[in-house]
Amino acid sequence: MAIISSYPTITPTSSDLVLIVDTSTDGNPTKTATINGIGSLINTGFTGGYKSYTASLIQTGASAPVATVLQNTTGGTFTWSYINNGQSRIAVSGITLPANKVAIFLSSGNGDQGIGGIITTTTQINVDQFSSGGGGPVDGMSAGTSIEIRIYS
């Protein structure tokens, strides 16, 4: 048996191999996988039990928010539109949002504003932004506003 601490520590590359045990295989379960292959599983939501859409948002006045997509492992397309003062809509295509298996996390880049999302259909999410001081709906998402939509399996 080898002493693991006697081996050098390196920064792995995507083509490096890792030993794994395939518990579904009879006979010799020891196999190898590349770092890249393991990373692909992680980036598709394999380990968390969910897939996600994460974006940084910014909105100028009465226009649709502009989403800079940071990660989208859902397989769907998320299209933003402007509805009314303080109200935006996300049209989801290519997938449906399953009942009771979606979590939406929103963070305002402006501490004086609140933001929230609600699933209205299996292909639509409404996002409302409001003045936290009781001033009602408000347009304009400042830099630092973000959204994460998690779809659990």
Side-chain angles (χ1 to χ4, degrees), residues 3 12 27-29 34-36 49 76 89 111 116 128 141 145 153:
I3 300 172
N28 184 2
T34 63
I35 295 290
N36 191 47
R89 179 168 292 145
D128 296 334
M141 293 179 184
T145 301
S153 50

Side-chain angles (χ1 to χ4, degrees), residues 63-126:
S63 61
V66 175
T68 301
V69 178
L70 305 174
Q71 183 176 41
N72 183 358
T73 61
T74 67
T77 301
F78 295 75
T79 305
W80 288 79
S81 61
Y82 179 82
I83 303 302
N84 203 345
N85 186 33
Q87 297 177 322
S88 301
R89 179 168 292 145
I90 307 169
V92 182
S93 59
I95 60 168
T96 57
L97 303 170
N100 304 316
K101 293 195 173 198
V102 178
I104 302 170
F105 303 95
L106 286 150
S107 175
S108 175
N110 181 340
D112 292 334
Q113 295 174 352
I115 192 165
I118 185 167
I119 300 167
T120 56
T121 70
T122 59
T123 58
Q124 184 175 289
I125 299 169
N126 285 355

